[in-house]
Amino acid sequence: MLTGKQKRYLRAQAHQLKPIFQIGKDGVSHKQANSINDALKAKELIKVKLLQTCPQTANEAALEIATQTKADVIQIVGHVITLYKRSDKVLYKLP
């Protein structure tokens, strides 16, 4: 579990990032969750965008992705979810 200070730091780092995944009309599938997990292992901090056709709300999709990948939800703004999962590379030094 991350502290508020750590989440604030990660939000600042994620500000410049572009979403690298899009979730559409099928919602969050296991295949997408596996791809997101692989991206989290490589990058630690990513953004996921929900398209207008997604049947889930941003909160529902974030919760489902977080439980399947064991990642932390840093922020949800509109249809964009920011996720963080610490990897072996340790790209972000948390305060």
Side-chain angles (χ1 to χ4, degrees):
M1 199 69 195
L2 297 172
T3 65
K5 190 173 187 178
Q6 291 170 331
K7 284 186 178 184
R8 207 170 30 246
Y9 168 77
L10 290 170
R11 277 195 302 267
Q13 297 299 316
H15 181 72
Q16 68 212 15
L17 298 177
K18 302 285 184 205
I20 59 173
F21 285 98
Q22 293 182 343
I23 298 175
K25 64 181 179 181
D26 297 330
V28 180
S29 66
H30 291 294
K31 185 177 179 182
Q32 280 182 325
N34 290 338
S35 297
I36 291 171
N37 194 30
D38 292 341
L40 283 166
K41 286 179 185 176
K43 298 184 180 211
E44 287 190 346
L45 186 66
I46 64 167
K47 285 186 177 180
V48 177
K49 182 175 177 122
L50 297 179
L51 300 177
Q52 295 292 331
T53 58
C54 184
Q56 299 170 312
T57 65
N59 289 333
E60 292 170 347
L63 182 62
E64 188 172 341
I65 293 169
T67 54
Q68 288 186 21
T69 61
K70 296 182 178 73
D72 291 308
V73 177
I74 301 302
Q75 183 178 26
I76 301 171
V77 177
H79 294 286
V80 178
I81 304 165
T82 306
L83 298 164
Y84 172 79
K85 184 176 180 182
R86 181 173 219 117
S87 70
D88 297 335
K89 295 180 183 179
V90 187
L91 300 173
Y92 297 97
K93 185 177 179 197
L94 298 179

